[in-house]
Amino acid sequence: MEIALLTDVGQRRSNNQDFVNQFRNQAGNPLIVLADGMGGHRAGNIASEMAVTDLGAAWVHSDINSIDQMRFWFETQLEAENQKIHAMGQEDEFRGMGTTLEAVVLIGNQAVFAHVGDSRVSIWDQREYIQLTSDHSLVNELLKAGQITEEEAMNHPQKNIITQSIGQQDPVKPDIGLAVLQDGDYLIISSDGLTNMVTNVQIQEVLATDLSLQEKAATLVHMANVAGGIDNISVALVHYKQEDQL
């Protein structure tokens, strides 16, 4: 299993409020966490870094080696972080701070993911590109209710309004799912700074090249910047190779 991470400030923002990192627990299982911060100039990047680092620290000290334990762990840890960031967000300096969050734990050929907000986890099996998460956003709610079309959703003026985040007053309710990886599969974890600028077809075309995994991540970020780079851009790529697990 190969993992590549990359984040970039983009072309329009003065600071990077995205944060992405990977960690391994006592059983040697990797956790990848990607967060897209919200709030004032300083608050957003603090919220995203806190969420990633705190979740990573909890994972490093765990010995979880079974997917059966993951739902409880994710729900417990994400609500604790939600309360912590919400409390900090009551201070004037950090007013309104919060963050989206994608967390993926890899145990053997199984990927357990927790999703809050409008960043995304997707899978490409070299044939079909499947988005595993559903955006927690106002526009996606309108789309699912049939009130707007997919074309209208692409350029909706309220596109950036999310309906769940880490740091909200109410208890957070993460979507938790499981993907079973086959030989050659790719997992794509990305902030909306990538997916708003680069199409799923373009992502597939990059993944299909002979570039190294880190070069593929760099190419995707470059494409988002060339397309306008209107937001921070973050991507984590996982390439699962069955022979690595034998």
Side-chain angles (χ1 to χ4, degrees):
M1 188 180 302
E2 192 178 358
I3 300 171
L5 313 175
L6 191 60
T7 186
D8 187 85
V9 69
Q11 299 296 305
R12 305 281 185 86
R13 301 294 179 90
S14 58
N15 69 327
N16 193 350
Q17 297 193 346
D18 286 3
F19 202 84
V20 59
N21 209 343
Q22 63 172 310
F23 312 86
R24 286 186 183 268
N25 72 350
Q26 300 297 307
N29 297 313
L31 163 72
I32 301 166
V33 193
L34 184 151
D36 180 354
M38 304 168 295
H41 181 79
R42 185 155 175 258
N45 62 295
I46 291 176
S48 60
E49 184 172 353
M50 276 179 57
V52 172
T53 303
D54 289 348
L55 202 64
W59 184 248
V60 164
H61 291 101
S62 82
D63 60 359
I64 291 174
N65 199 31
S66 166
I67 61 169
D68 295 337
Q69 300 169 276
M70 286 310 309
R71 174 175 288 277
F72 177 77
W73 189 87
F74 271 142
E75 289 177 344
T76 302
Q77 296 298 329
L78 292 185
E79 180 53 27
E81 193 63 24
N82 180 53
Q83 293 177 14
K84 179 179 179 180
I85 291 178
H86 175 70
M88 192 170 173
Q90 303 312 297
E91 303 173 23
D92 287 343
E93 188 178 5
F94 307 113
R95 185 71 62 188
M97 74 188 302
T99 184
T100 71
L101 188 135
E102 307 300 319
V104 179
V105 165
L106 301 156
I107 300 177
N109 71 328
Q110 299 176 100
V112 187
F113 58 89
H115 160 71
V116 180
D118 63 352
S119 293
R120 294 176 178 176
V121 180
S122 304
I123 189 169
W124 183 58
D125 63 3
Q126 306 201 39
R127 295 178 302 278
E128 188 177 9
Y129 190 95
I130 302 168
Q131 184 177 323
L132 299 174
T133 55
S134 179
D135 295 353
H136 295 145
S137 68
L138 175 61
V139 164
N140 195 41
E141 292 298 323
L142 294 172
L143 183 61
K144 288 192 293 185
Q147 296 181 27
I148 60 173
T149 65
E150 288 194 17
E151 186 176 353
E152 289 171 331
M154 290 294 294
N155 300 298
H156 199 281
Q158 294 175 308
K159 189 172 182 178
N160 293 328
I161 297 178
I162 64 171
T163 55
Q164 266 211 97
S165 64
I166 303 293
Q168 65 187 24
Q169 182 174 356
D170 296 332
V172 69
K173 297 178 180 178
D175 295 337
I176 297 173
L178 171 69
V180 178
L181 304 177
Q182 305 296 328
D183 186 36
D185 285 357
Y186 287 86
L187 274 179
I188 305 95
I189 308 157
S190 56
S191 65
D192 62 346
L194 177 72
T195 53
N196 284 340
M197 297 284 101
V198 181
T199 68
N200 293 347
V201 171
Q202 289 174 310
I203 293 173
Q204 293 175 67
E205 289 172 348
V206 171
L207 296 178
T209 66
D210 292 330
L211 297 170
S212 71
L213 197 65
Q214 193 64 47
E215 288 171 336
K216 289 175 182 179
T219 300
L220 291 173
V221 169
H222 175 71
M223 290 170 67
N225 274 320
V226 169
I230 62 174
D231 200 353
N232 307 144
I233 309 154
S234 295
V235 62
L237 300 177
V238 177
H239 189 203
Y240 177 76
K241 300 177 183 177
Q242 196 165 20
E243 61 267 22
D244 294 343
Q245 306 300 315
L246 297 179

